[in-house]
Amino acid sequence: MTHPVDCIVVGAGLAGLACAGELVRAGRRVVVLEAADRAGGRIATDTIDGFRIDRGFQVYNDAYPEGRRVLDLAALHLGTFESGAIIADGVRLRRVNDPWRRPLAALGSILDGSVGIADGVRTARLRSDAIQMVRSGVDPDATTAGERTTRDELESRGFSERFIRGFFVPFFGGVFLERLLDTSAAVFLFDFAMFSLGRACLPAGGMDAIPRQLAARLPAASVRLGIAVRSCAPGHVTLADGTVLSARDVVVAVDGASAAALLPEALRGGLAERVWKSTRLIAFAADRSPFTSRTLVVSAEPDGPIDNLTVPSDIATGYAPPGRSLITVSVRGDWKGGDPVTAVRRQAAAWCGKTVEAWHHLATVEVARALPDESPAARLARVFGPQLANGLWICGDHCGTASINAALASGRRCAKAIIGA
Ligand SMILES: Cc1cc2nc3c(=O)[nH]c(=O)nc-3n(C[C@H](O)[C@H](O)[C@H](O)COP(=O)(O)OP(=O)(O)OC[C@H]3O[C@@H](n4cnc5c(N)ncnc54)[C@H](O)[C@@H]3O)c2cc1C
């Protein structure tokens, strides 16, 4: 580092980039040290044969309050999913509609017996409560009050087991990367509010457009790639090659497990114990989309590897070369079987027909460290941050809810605290 800096940010994921951006706006001299060869952390997109393949299926929600605050959404050219979902239940593909956006279609779901009237009423109450929670400023990142699992929340609200299994498990199982619904209800209620108020979106050309936008706003050369940090302490960091760099403030903006490895033992809290949830994405190229609507297909089938199936090239531009379609499948974390590509084709053929035979397998992407465990117990043990010691700070999705919104908010909050210190 040739010039002195006020702050060293370790990690160029969303939290680190958001933190650095806020510090730079306040006139601080900042350097961001990133071990990988690209910024973005867990948001990454690779190009294979002209297709843009995200490392794990993820979506941006355009109701995220922090995204509205810090991102230039217009410049991301977001493509939107239709609200609701198509649910494969082993018999047919059944659409579950959002009654506030497609009232007639939702009425159809009740009339054809897909959704019972009582569960429809409970969903309306859940929606209203979740929105009220967000609007009244309850922040799931900052609280652990009333922690219980999503399943406990749904059961206490009286939802039928049929509806829990037929809708909440397949839909939120894909969001949480676990199908027991033991993710905290605080996370669920926030996500439910976001899906009610906003739309699931993909940026043109892939999810990595989000971190690229944040990185592009920082001064040239302030993000240093390929620099692994070995340890962090108040006022200095030690690189993997033994070099020591100093600054008034050090921000640990890495994922929770990496933070545990970088920090002195006394400051690790429950970071080291946090378990990771993993996922796997399988991408196919096709000559045409198997669907006519821009909807996510989720599986409520007891067997089979598919968690959800989508056609990103139907949602946003730039995911596939002109005239081609990109189809991506998230594989269930609990699925055990033989060759997953063959098993996915077999299950998808029942939904999409013979066209599946012509799909060309492009890539299988394993994401071992996708989301931290967000069970009530894990959330209670988390390190809230942002200050660990004088001159040592922490941010990242592990401090709040594991989401794009939380990572961005955590980075900005950390910067604000540094500026105010
Ligand atoms: C498959 C998948 C699906 C998801 N789905 C969604 C979704 O649909 N919606 C949603 O809102 N969120 C979703 N998320 C969550 C969201 O992507 C993350 O919460 C967010 O990107 C985390 O950002 P972060 O900055 O906290 O951490 P990270 O992205 O993990 O960034 C940490 C950075 O630190 C770097 N680093 C680590 N150790 C060192 C070191 N020793 N030295 C230097 N650098 C280091 C890493 O290389 C990385 O770049 C998903 C995530 C995954 C993986």
Side-chain angles (χ1 to χ4, degrees), residues 316-394:
T317 57
Y319 268 94
R324 310 290 310 281
S325 288
L326 172 69
I327 296 155
T328 61
V329 168
S330 277
V331 175
R332 284 167 56 161
D334 60 358
W335 182 76
K336 303 224 173 355
D339 171 30
V341 177
T342 307
V344 163
R345 278 185 202 279
R346 196 178 307 123
Q347 192 176 5
W351 310 347
C352 308
K354 277 189 167 303
T355 161
V356 170
E357 287 166 19
W359 292 0
H360 166 68
H361 176 228
L362 281 171
T364 298
V365 183
E366 306 280 353
V367 189
R369 291 177 164 196
L371 298 175
D373 173 18
E374 294 201 277
S375 63
R379 270 171 57 82
L380 286 170
R382 75 189 191 271
V383 173
F384 280 92
Q387 188 160 25
L388 293 172
N390 202 8
L392 185 62
W393 308 81
I394 190 163

Side-chain angles (χ1 to χ4, degrees), residues 146-199:
E147 286 283 356
R148 57 174 164 176
T149 67
T150 299
R151 183 166 257 287
D152 286 345
E153 176 77 26
L154 295 172
E155 287 175 356
S156 74
R157 286 173 174 272
F159 281 102
S160 70
E161 186 59 26
R162 179 171 170 253
F163 194 57
I164 292 176
R165 282 181 184 277
F167 174 68
F168 288 110
V169 168
F171 193 84
F172 282 92
V175 174
F176 298 154
L177 303 182
E178 56 91 8
R179 288 192 158 226
L180 298 175
L181 299 185
D182 64 8
T183 295
S184 159
V187 178
F188 165 70
L189 290 169
F190 179 78
D191 286 352
F192 200 84
M194 292 299 108
F195 282 117
S196 302
L197 293 168
R199 296 160 305 173

